[in-house]
Amino acid sequence: MTVKSTSLALIDIEAEEKSRRLVSAETVAKVDEVLGVVPKVPVVALQGNLRTSVEAALGSDASLTALELAALRRAAGTLPSAAPADSFVWDAVKLPGDVDSLVRAVIIYHRFNVQAVAVSERIGANDAFRRFVRQFSGGDQTELRDALDSERRHVDRISSFMEFVGAFVERASTVFEGDEWTIGSVLVLTAAVGGFVHSRETLSAGWSLPHAPTEECLHAVEALRIELAYAAREVRESHGVNLLGYSLSALSGIRRSLFDGGADFRMAISSFGIEEDDGERLVALARNVRIFLETCDRLETTLVESGYGEGDMPAVMSHVLLRKYLMEASEATEVPWESVQRVLRPRAMVSSSEFTDLLASLEADTFSAKLDNISRDRGQSITNVVLAAEHYVYSRLYWIDAGERVLSCDPGIRIVDLRSILEMEPEIHGNTEILSRAGAMDRHDVGVLEQHLEWMIGVYGMPVSNAAIERIIGSKGAALDGLLTEP
């Protein structure tokens, strides 16, 4: 037993230093081993990106053993790459329970025939294409490519028809006043092409008037021109001279001999190559020439009363010719003239190029026969016809586009194959609805979701707390970067 001394005399304050006596490292290790103590490393002791990642996952006040750190890094190293931060998959999985249902949906998705799923995806919401496949009557073994080619040719014909009609009406509107073209008015105009071609030389020059002639004016001028033509024919048949080939100025000498005096009729007509010695024939000739000139005067009066001058006669006659040809065409097509008269009223001013362009369109007519069969309602607006054609074209192009998408994944698919896929679609869609709600809209999206689910399963299995899991997922995988990059 050691006796405690309180005597200061026993303390040698000047004693020499000796080496320290410490517990050995082996003893310390043996104590830790006996007691099961594993040293922990505080996060602040870590360096660089490793520290950043551990802090992001576990918190800045956390500490972990070397074994825990190694396990955490191994777990992070086994994970697939995290999805991009802006990917839809981060909203697909909210809770651990969401993983299992989505995994089952992905597995079932892959059990379907890959091609069937791909075709169904290409069809999408295009029910018009599904109707086409179900109603196709060209044979089950027909390849979709052939069926689409046939439909596309038909659409092209309708498109061409639509373009021709639109372009024709546009050109016709430069010559005629109509702004609401109908099937009947177009049919009458196209039927008049023969007359327009016959009078090409006269009409192609165009015309310019201060205002468009009224129906009354045109009717009066037409009637007088018929009388004039009759009188000229009498002179031509009796003496071989066509008075219509001469202007009124050229006929002034004859006029003076018959009306004003001071000139001899026999001498006046000799200038036109007429030598007549027979008195009776000369009198008959004078009568017919007089009638011709009086009719010319009545024509001039009619023009003046209608607001025109003598120089406007050729332009007014162009209107008369057009009206006459169109009325004949109206009768030929059995379209009442009254129903198209307003639309087919020529404009007061039409250039040579405008009429020439219209005549070229009339001669190249490839659409009137089809237009004739589109509707028996001759009053149907051309605007409605074009709208109907556009609807037809675009509605077919809509499902033809779906067919093209199908061909892009299966160029040789047949109608019978498509019908089989359509029968499977309800089952396919039932499962893909789950995937769609998660944001996976096609096979690529399913692949992205599948990789994310693999990542999520790996994260949920990591050797960290639930709070750490939430931090890792909340960072969209960024919290693990340092675990993977630091040595």
Side-chain angles (χ1 to χ4, degrees):
M1 179 177 179
T2 303
V3 179
K4 182 177 179 181
S5 174
T6 59
S7 176
L8 296 178
L10 297 177
I11 298 174
D12 185 1
I13 198 66
E14 294 182 352
E16 295 291 331
E17 295 179 357
K18 293 183 178 179
S19 60
R20 297 173 62 196
R21 287 176 288 184
L22 301 174
V23 177
S24 67
E26 290 78 8
T27 301
V28 172
K30 186 176 294 184
V31 170
D32 286 347
E33 182 178 355
V34 170
L35 296 178
V37 176
V38 179
K40 289 197 173 185
V41 180
V43 174
V44 294
L46 301 175
Q47 300 295 321
N49 291 336
L50 180 59
R51 174 180 172 176
T52 301
S53 284
V54 175
E55 281 184 342
L58 305 181
S60 60
D61 57 347
S63 61
L64 71 168
T65 68
L67 294 175
E68 288 174 329
L69 180 59
L72 180 59
R73 298 187 72 171
R74 277 195 299 274
T78 62
L79 295 176
S81 298
D86 59 352
S87 175
F88 72 91
V89 296
W90 294 107
D91 295 323
V93 181
K94 301 294 186 183
L95 300 168
D98 297 337
V99 173
D100 291 343
S101 61
L102 287 172
V103 167
R104 283 194 298 273
V106 170
I107 292 173
I108 294 172
Y109 180 88
H110 287 308
R111 283 178 183 170
F112 286 116
N113 180 286
V114 173
Q115 200 72 349
V117 175
V119 168
S120 181
E121 288 174 351
R122 297 299 195 285
I123 297 173
N126 200 315
D127 289 333
F129 178 75
R130 293 181 176 88
R131 282 194 299 273
F132 164 74
V133 172
R134 293 188 179 104
Q135 297 172 4
F136 184 76
S137 59
D140 283 355
Q141 299 303 316
T142 302
E143 289 192 1
L144 176 61
R145 182 179 302 280
D146 294 336
L148 290 185
D149 286 345
S150 176
E151 286 295 322
R152 196 179 294 103
R153 286 193 296 272
H154 190 55
V155 166
D156 289 343
R157 287 194 294 271
I158 299 298
S159 295
S160 296
F161 165 76
M162 181 174 65
E163 290 173 4
F164 276 125
V165 171
F168 177 78
V169 167
E170 184 177 346
R171 289 193 179 96
S173 295
T174 65
V175 176
F176 298 94
E177 293 184 352
D179 56 359
E180 187 57 45
W181 289 82
T182 61
I183 291 177
S185 59
V186 172
L187 291 179
V188 170
L189 181 53
T190 54
V193 62
F196 293 175
V197 170
H198 179 74
S199 299
R200 184 196 301 270
E201 185 175 343
T202 299
L203 297 174
S204 293
W207 54 86
S208 178
L209 290 169
H211 55 269
T214 63
E215 279 293 307
E216 293 76 11
C217 172
L218 293 175
H219 181 74
V221 170
E222 180 183 343
L224 289 170
R225 284 292 300 193
I226 291 173
E227 291 184 30
L228 196 67
Y230 178 80
R233 186 166 57 252
E234 290 291 310
V235 173
R236 185 176 65 250
E237 290 178 354
S238 64
H239 290 84
V241 174
N242 183 7
L243 295 179
L244 292 172
Y246 299 93
S247 67
L248 291 178
S249 296
L251 298 174
S252 295
I254 296 178
R255 176 184 290 276
R256 285 189 292 270
S257 72
L258 293 174
F259 295 96
D260 303 330
D264 179 72
F265 178 69
R266 188 193 302 271
M267 292 181 63
I269 62 173
S270 65
S271 299
F272 298 89
I274 298 176
E275 300 292 340
E276 182 57 68
D277 296 325
D278 187 284
E280 291 185 4
R281 282 173 56 81
L282 186 63
V283 170
L285 175 62
R287 182 177 62 250
N288 288 332
V289 172
R290 186 182 186 91
I291 291 173
F292 178 88
L293 292 173
E294 288 176 342
T295 305
C296 287
D297 293 341
R298 290 161 61 198
L299 258 176
E300 184 176 353
T301 300
T302 299
L303 288 179
V304 171
E305 291 175 348
S306 299
Y308 302 112
E310 180 183 346
D312 292 326
M313 175 59 76
V316 174
M317 277 307 301
S318 292
H319 279 247
V320 171
L321 281 172
L322 289 171
R323 178 176 176 271
K324 190 65 176 177
Y325 291 141
L326 290 168
M327 291 179 72
E328 294 292 340
S330 171
E331 183 177 349
T333 56
E334 299 181 348
V335 176
W337 174 243
E338 296 76 16
S339 68
V340 298
Q341 179 179 354
R342 184 182 62 81
V343 177
L344 294 175
R345 185 187 185 198
R347 294 184 180 276
M349 299 180 65
V350 173
S351 69
S352 174
S353 61
E354 287 171 335
F355 186 84
T356 301
D357 288 345
L358 173 60
L359 187 55
S361 293
L362 286 167
E363 291 183 289
D365 169 28
T366 58
F367 62 84
S368 61
K370 182 176 183 63
L371 187 64
D372 190 18
N373 285 326
I374 282 180
S375 173
R376 302 312 301 171
D377 179 9
R378 298 313 192 209
Q380 186 69 254
S381 167
I382 290 297
T383 300
N384 289 341
V385 173
V386 172
L387 287 175
E390 287 178 345
H391 175 74
Y392 179 93
V393 168
Y394 293 129
S395 64
R396 273 155 180 76
L397 288 178
Y398 172 64
W399 63 254
I400 287 175
D401 181 64
E404 293 288 357
R405 294 197 301 270
V406 170
L407 288 177
S408 70
C409 69
D410 190 344
I413 195 167
R414 302 166 300 171
I415 295 296
V416 65
D417 304 324
L418 281 167
R419 287 175 175 164
S420 297
I421 291 172
L422 295 186
E423 290 177 2
M424 290 189 292
E425 274 198 321
E427 187 178 0
I428 295 173
H429 290 169
N431 186 69
T432 54
E433 185 178 350
I434 298 173
L435 298 173
S436 297
R437 285 199 298 267
M441 308 308 296
D442 54 28
R443 180 164 292 275
H444 173 266
D445 289 347
V446 172
V448 174
L449 177 61
E450 186 174 13
Q451 182 172 338
H452 182 65
L453 290 172
E454 183 182 347
W455 185 87
M456 291 293 291
I457 291 170
V459 168
Y460 281 128
M462 292 183 75
V464 292
S465 66
N466 289 342
I469 294 295
E470 292 179 3
R471 292 191 191 96
I472 293 170
I473 295 175
S475 73
K476 298 183 178 179
L480 302 177
D481 290 346
L483 297 172
L484 301 172
T485 59
E486 289 293 315

